Amino acid sequence: EAGVAQSPRYKIIEKRQSVAFWCNPISGHATLYWYQQILGQGPKLLIQFQNNGVVDDSQLPKDRFSAERLKGVDSTLKIQPAKLEDSAVYLCASSVRGGRKEYFGAGTRLSVL
Amino acid sequence: GIQVEQSPPDLILQEGANSTLRCNFSDSVNNLQWFHQNPWGQLINLFYIPSGTKQNGRLSATTVATERYSLLYISSSQTTDSGVYFCAVPALMNSGYSTLTFGKGTMLLVSP
């Protein structure tokens, strides 16, 4: 069974630039999550999708972050414009449905200079 | 919101030693997950354990939901066990859906 795929693995940008991350969840998983993990901390949920609908985005900085999951499969997370404090690892995870066992991708490490 | 505390924050072991990691949580939960984050950043789900005890090879986990804690046991540790161990519990959001809240993790280093 293929795992959660994410790209790119690494990204370096300057502040005020834009960046986008892509995630392909495990086939058949209805729920998709985007997390932000700052160095030395546990992952923090940014947004949760159930199929192609958002079920929670209370911790997403909506003035600069956006995410979509068209067709209920792949998802993209965008930051525009990036700030220095956005430097972190962005993790995508999926589960069969909300509240069940979550499987994580390898993450995208973002450095904002 | 729910609070998740893990102890110890750091642990250094000699290869072959056993260890116990603890996770305390502040509210009742209907499940708990343990993860291992390897030095390359990959998070692996070790256990989905609402209550009771589960075993997977040298690892086992016990959750006592009524007392709001979970333990992760690592026996005969190997260098490949190094990394950060996180526990995570669901928190009910205003949307009616649950999202995971992670602890700060226990960083484990197993030396040869």
Side-chain angles (χ1 to χ4, degrees):
Chain A
E1 174 181 87
V4 177
Q6 287 190 248
S7 67
R9 287 298 315 276
Y10 306 93
K11 192 73 177 178
I12 300 174
I13 62 173
E14 295 187 351
K15 59 183 179 182
R16 290 188 289 273
Q17 285 188 322
S18 302
V19 65
F21 312 127
W22 173 81
C23 173
N24 185 278
I26 293 173
S27 177
H29 281 196
T31 308
L32 184 147
Y33 315 80
W34 281 103
Y35 289 87
Q36 179 192 59
Q37 186 177 20
I38 293 173
L39 188 64
Q41 299 181 19
K44 182 187 81 172
L45 181 73
L46 293 175
I47 188 167
Q48 178 177 342
F49 292 93
Q50 179 71 19
N51 296 311
N52 61 347
V54 175
V55 300
D56 193 280
D57 63 357
S58 57
Q59 300 191 89
L60 186 75
K62 298 180 187 64
D63 58 333
R64 298 182 300 106
F65 286 63
S66 64
E68 60 181 10
R69 190 185 184 198
L70 300 176
K71 301 180 182 178
V73 182
D74 293 9
S75 177
T76 56
L77 176 70
K78 297 179 182 178
I79 308 175
Q80 181 180 9
K83 292 185 175 181
L84 296 177
E85 58 261 37
D86 298 333
S87 294
V89 176
Y90 291 84
L91 295 160
C92 179
S94 70
S95 62
V96 172
R97 57 179 173 87
R100 303 306 295 174
K101 188 173 181 179
E102 293 188 24
Y103 297 84
F104 281 78
T108 296
R109 186 175 299 274
L110 174 67
S111 295
V112 181
L113 307 178
Chain B
I2 193 167
Q3 304 297 312
V4 182
E5 293 184 359
Q6 292 187 242
S7 60
D10 304 282
L11 186 59
I12 300 176
L13 297 176
Q14 199 77 21
E15 197 169 26
N18 303 327
S19 63
T20 301
L21 282 56
R22 188 177 179 101
C23 174
N24 293 332
F25 41 95
S26 61
D27 206 348
S28 57
V29 299
N30 59 13
N31 76 77
L32 181 143
Q33 302 187 41
W34 281 99
F35 295 88
H36 174 223
Q37 189 165 42
N38 66 24
W40 295 270
Q42 177 71 57
L43 266 167
I44 304 296
N45 195 306
L46 298 174
F47 294 102
Y48 177 95
I49 181 167
S51 63
T53 297
K54 288 188 177 181
Q55 180 141 15
N56 185 1
R58 296 180 296 102
L59 274 59
S60 65
T62 296
T63 295
V64 184
T66 53
E67 297 187 21
R68 301 180 184 175
Y69 73 89
S70 183
L71 302 174
L72 178 69
Y73 304 94
I74 305 174
S75 64
S76 304
S77 59
Q78 300 176 359
T79 56
T80 51
D81 295 332
S82 296
V84 184
Y85 290 80
F86 291 101
C87 73
V89 297
L92 189 62
M93 308 302 283
N94 291 334
S95 61
Y97 284 83
S98 294
T99 64
L100 285 182
T101 297
F102 283 75
K104 291 186 176 181
T106 292
M107 181 172 291
L108 173 65
L109 176 63
V110 181
S111 58

